[in-house]
Amino acid sequence: MALTTNGEIIKTPPRQPVGEACRIKSLPPLTGVIRIPGDKAITHRAVIFSSIAQGTARITNALLGYDCMASIECMRRLGAKIDINGNTLTVTGAKGLKNNQRLNVGDSGTTLRLLTGLIAGAGVSAVLEGGDGLKNRPMEQVVETLNGMGARITSADGFAPITVKASQMRGAEVYLPVAGAQLKGALMLAALNVRSGITIYEDTPTRDHSEIMFEEMSADITRGPGRVTVRPSVLKSLNMKIPGDLSGAAYFMAAATIIPGSHVVLRNVGVNPARTGIIDIINSCGGRIDVLNESMHRGEPVADIMVESAPKIKPFNISGALAPRIIDELPVLAVMACFADGESNISGASELRHKESDRITNTVAALKMMGARIEETGDGMRIWGGGVLNGGARIDPRGDHRVAMTLAVAGAASLEGVEILNPGIVGKSYPDFFKIFSGAKEDAGRDGD
Ligand code: S3P
């Protein structure tokens, strides 16, 4: 199930493996040092931005899961030269994007949204199409927002495939219709080629990896709270090391918090404050997470995260501006809520319904099968803790990598474990997840620095 990462072997985004199942047993305590793979959101941006930058960049610790491979393949088609050696990419920027390309974005919503903005702004034509995993991911916001600035984009009733016809976009001031870092990134990429630039306002802050990387790559960008302006600019290539993915680390944080006697250190994890809601929540409900050895790399904070099991887990509420800071971690926090001594509520998270699956319905159904007392609400879920999950179920995460990893945590913390169907989907964001997570059971030590 691990993705092969040695170079040119993967030419097109690989299909998701089907048919296997992975059994997760009740785990003894998690201990040891774990190195978390590169951040998915930052890898996408490093690949795409370096592919249009002047010069050559060396990107180390890149995540080469299915989605980021889709970004790599698309940018190669658009004219960038990208060599892969292990987890290191050498990217030489294209001098102008190739026109009239058919791009296969695989099942990657981030690739589709970011590239729609890039291509529309650059004034070239392209067709962007994807796999079955994209068929329910709404694209109308990115399409309509860009069309409002003079782009000529059509979709299949708001979904992929997307056709971009060459046009000249106009500058604008835009209020993000929903809190979405992919939409914001698409507009920022378009702005690089829009004469009077684009100003984007967001009510609820979303992750700012695009802003940080644009600054580091010398774009003409200014920003303040809830606002970013990008004017026409040429990015300059930059060598960088991708921080470990906090969203991947989240499964180990939750499992170590719940399973008594655990003590793990997660190495070199990105701790951008736009992403660290999970640490705040776990600590606020009695968890023991310390952020150690913090340093900055290319504008992104990176640290080691030490997690010890919580003697007692208190229930929690997540709503409003916190939800985007924690959006990808909400399913695994629902597992933690099952072990809290009371009722927890998650609201303001309707965007969860538009991820790889409807993550509200999917998470609730899966955890119910394991014996959780949980129900969906319109924009979140309500969970009645109790300290025990029975497990013992065989569950299909329905093509959603984050639900699969959430089930691994639930199974590990349950009495009877869980069997997860089609586990290979974790290759989207964490190809070695099950190997590393199960390693936690036998032994503690699996570092590797
Ligand atoms: C991402 C942003 C988030 C997140 C997704 C990746 C990104 O989505 O859920 O996994 O790369 O910018 P939104 O665009 O809804 O914020």
Side-chain angles (χ1 to χ4, degrees):
M1 131 196 20
L3 186 70
T4 312
T5 55
N6 55 342
E8 304 300 312
I9 290 173
I10 299 163
K11 282 287 185 197
T12 53
R15 308 297 324 153
Q16 294 175 355
V18 288
E20 347 161 25
C22 175
R23 202 180 290 275
I24 294 284
K25 299 194 192 128
S26 276
L27 283 182
L30 272 78
T31 51
V33 179
I34 299 167
R35 219 147 27 140
I36 302 293
D39 186 277
K40 178 158 88 73
I42 301 179
T43 301
H44 275 299
R45 286 156 177 81
V47 166
I48 295 171
F49 299 0
S50 303
S51 291
I52 55 167
Q54 220 166 41
T56 297
R58 192 164 176 272
I59 301 165
T60 55
N61 200 38
L63 173 73
L64 298 180
Y66 305 136
D67 280 14
C68 295
M69 285 306 300
S71 283
I72 290 173
E73 283 307 317
C74 289
M75 294 319 297
R76 281 176 170 160
R77 272 197 164 266
L78 287 167
K81 182 170 182 308
I82 307 179
D83 294 324
I84 307 177
N85 183 3
N87 291 335
T88 298
L89 306 176
T90 308
V91 184
T92 304
K95 296 193 174 65
L97 295 185
K98 281 193 192 160
N99 202 3
N100 284 324
Q101 296 301 305
R102 257 197 124 75
L103 304 172
N104 179 357
V105 302
D107 288 338
S108 172
T110 309
T111 308
L112 181 53
R113 293 195 180 96
L114 293 182
L115 292 196
T116 300
L118 171 70
I119 291 163
V124 295
S125 299
V127 175
L128 299 106
E129 56 201 359
D132 281 353
L134 267 190
K135 66 179 188 295
N136 296 320
R137 310 283 305 269
M139 295 296 147
E140 73 264 44
Q141 268 141 357
V142 73
V143 170
E144 280 166 21
T145 310
L146 289 162
N147 282 348
M149 293 184 261
R152 290 197 300 146
I153 308 172
T154 51
S155 66
D157 281 334
F159 296 92
I162 284 181
T163 303
V164 185
K165 294 252 183 278
S167 71
Q168 175 117 48
M169 284 181 57
R170 311 177 281 278
E173 302 214 324
V174 191
Y175 288 82
L176 285 193
V178 288
Q182 300 174 22
L183 174 58
K184 180 173 62 173
L187 300 176
M188 290 175 61
L189 279 163
L192 289 175
N193 289 297
V194 171
R195 204 174 302 141
S196 45
I198 297 177
T199 297
I200 303 153
Y201 297 95
E202 52 182 359
D203 283 341
T204 313
T206 62
R207 57 185 74 184
D208 60 352
H209 304 307
S210 298
E211 289 90 320
I212 291 172
M213 212 178 280
F214 267 27
E215 283 166 350
E216 295 287 320
M217 295 175 84
S218 309
D220 185 347
I221 170 172
T222 44
R223 62 177 176 137
R227 172 186 55 79
V228 56
T229 302
V230 178
R231 293 176 208 82
S233 16
V234 177
L235 302 179
K236 304 239 172 0
S237 285
L238 191 71
N239 294 337
M240 61 185 111
K241 180 176 178 193
I242 308 291
D245 197 330
L246 189 85
S247 298
Y251 303 100
F252 294 93
M253 288 186 220
T257 297
I258 301 167
I259 300 172
S262 297
H263 183 150
V264 287
V265 176
L266 311 168
R267 277 273 161 82
N268 282 325
V269 182
V271 287
N272 181 316
R275 299 276 296 277
T276 49
I278 177 137
I279 298 178
D280 301 342
I281 283 287
I282 293 182
N283 279 344
S284 74
C285 22
R288 295 177 168 179
I289 300 187
D290 279 325
V291 176
L292 309 168
N293 306 324
E294 192 167 331
S295 62
M296 290 295 278
H297 179 70
R298 302 300 191 211
E300 293 280 356
V302 180
D304 296 333
I305 298 178
M306 195 174 79
V307 193
E308 281 182 293
S309 52
K312 183 171 145 78
I313 300 173
K314 289 186 273 182
F316 56 85
N317 289 315
I318 295 173
S319 60
L322 182 55
R325 272 185 77 214
I326 206 168
I327 191 79
D328 292 335
E329 292 70 65
L330 291 173
V332 79
L333 280 174
V335 176
M336 205 178 82
C338 296
F339 292 86
D341 60 352
E343 179 186 325
S344 297
N345 279 287
I346 296 172
S347 63
S350 48
E351 276 307 296
L352 269 188
R353 295 203 181 272
H354 307 299
K355 298 295 178 187
E356 279 77 349
S357 65
D358 176 337
R359 275 190 194 148
I360 296 179
T361 301
N362 198 2
T363 304
V364 168
L367 292 181
K368 263 193 181 149
M369 286 176 75
M370 297 189 68
R373 287 177 60 219
I374 180 169
E375 71 178 27
E376 14 182 318
T377 61
D379 64 349
M381 36 193 140
R382 186 170 301 131
I383 309 106
W384 292 271
V388 181
L389 266 186
N390 289 331
R394 185 177 158 88
I395 307 180
D396 183 355
R398 300 186 205 161
D400 193 321
H401 57 131
R402 300 221 179 273
V403 174
M405 292 186 274
T406 293
L407 285 172
V409 174
S414 72
L415 299 176
E416 294 175 35
V418 67
E419 198 173 347
I420 303 166
L421 299 177
N422 300 326
I425 52 166
V426 299
K428 238 187 175 246
S429 64
Y430 201 150
D432 283 339
F433 174 77
F434 284 109
K435 202 167 89 195
I436 309 284
F437 192 77
S438 306
K441 149 176 90 180
E442 271 124 45
D443 159 30
R446 64 212 105 106
D447 182 11
D449 248 316

